[in-house]
Amino acid sequence: MAAGADALIGDGAAVSGTKLRTQSEGESQVVANPRVLTTPNREVLTNGLPDIDGAPGGTLPGLGILADKLNELPAVLGFRVSNPIREHCFVPAVSAIAVREPATHDDLYTPIRDEDLEETPFHAVKFASQSEMHTLVTEELSTWFLDQLPY
């Protein structure tokens, strides 16, 4: 997922001009241009945050949930939105296993090495082969988990 990409766009009259964007790294990064029945649009900026939305780890369709709920409202209310990016990183892999703080791009995106796993407080760690929805129970992870049980 590209940092700074439009993730949710206001199409209806009540939210026209609204944009929610994926997080970009750096100073004065625009993450939102909210507008609800008001003008002009306001910019919401972040400072010093990493580009976390596309990081490897557990995902959440938070923007998709928001879009679905807004689009369920009667069209006459003017809250229709487009949603080109439905999900974002919810729990970065480095944070989930407590191997390093997710403070920078490099912290989030540098692959976790076998040596790094010695720093985690967990006895055993298994990553999904791709980023999955947070807490999704897959055959791959279930098989690994069952193999860890003592006989």
Side-chain angles (χ1 to χ4, degrees):
M1 159 186 330
D6 292 341
L8 187 132
I9 303 162
D11 296 327
V15 292
S16 178
T18 292
K19 288 185 180 178
L20 302 182
R21 302 173 62 95
T22 59
Q23 177 68 51
S24 292
E25 183 176 37
E27 302 301 312
S28 298
Q29 297 299 311
V30 177
V31 290
N33 298 99
R35 181 188 166 273
V36 180
L37 302 173
T38 62
T39 56
N41 286 14
R42 180 173 79 88
E43 280 192 341
V44 177
L45 306 175
T46 60
N47 289 300
L49 296 176
D51 49 339
I52 196 167
D53 288 325
T59 62
L60 179 75
L63 298 165
I65 292 168
L66 175 60
D68 292 347
K69 292 300 178 187
L70 290 171
N71 288 331
E72 286 174 6
L73 295 171
V76 70
L77 296 177
F79 286 100
R80 293 281 186 243
V81 295
S82 301
N83 183 216
I85 300 174
R86 292 187 58 80
E87 62 185 39
H88 54 89
C89 179
F90 183 64
V91 180
V94 297
S95 184
I97 64 166
V99 74
R100 59 182 171 250
E101 291 293 321
T104 68
H105 175 89
D106 288 343
D107 291 337
L108 290 165
Y109 292 89
T110 298
I112 298 169
R113 302 167 301 160
D114 288 340
E115 305 88 71
D116 296 328
L117 296 178
E118 295 172 15
E119 302 299 318
T120 185
F122 300 104
H123 172 72
V125 173
K126 169 70 173 164
F127 294 108
S129 56
Q130 64 183 22
S131 291
E132 300 279 4
M133 189 173 349
H134 181 58
T135 71
L136 179 67
V137 178
T138 64
E139 181 178 350
E140 172 189 22
L141 296 177
S142 297
T143 300
W144 175 83
F145 181 76
L146 292 172
D147 288 345
Q148 301 304 301
L149 296 175
Y151 292 94

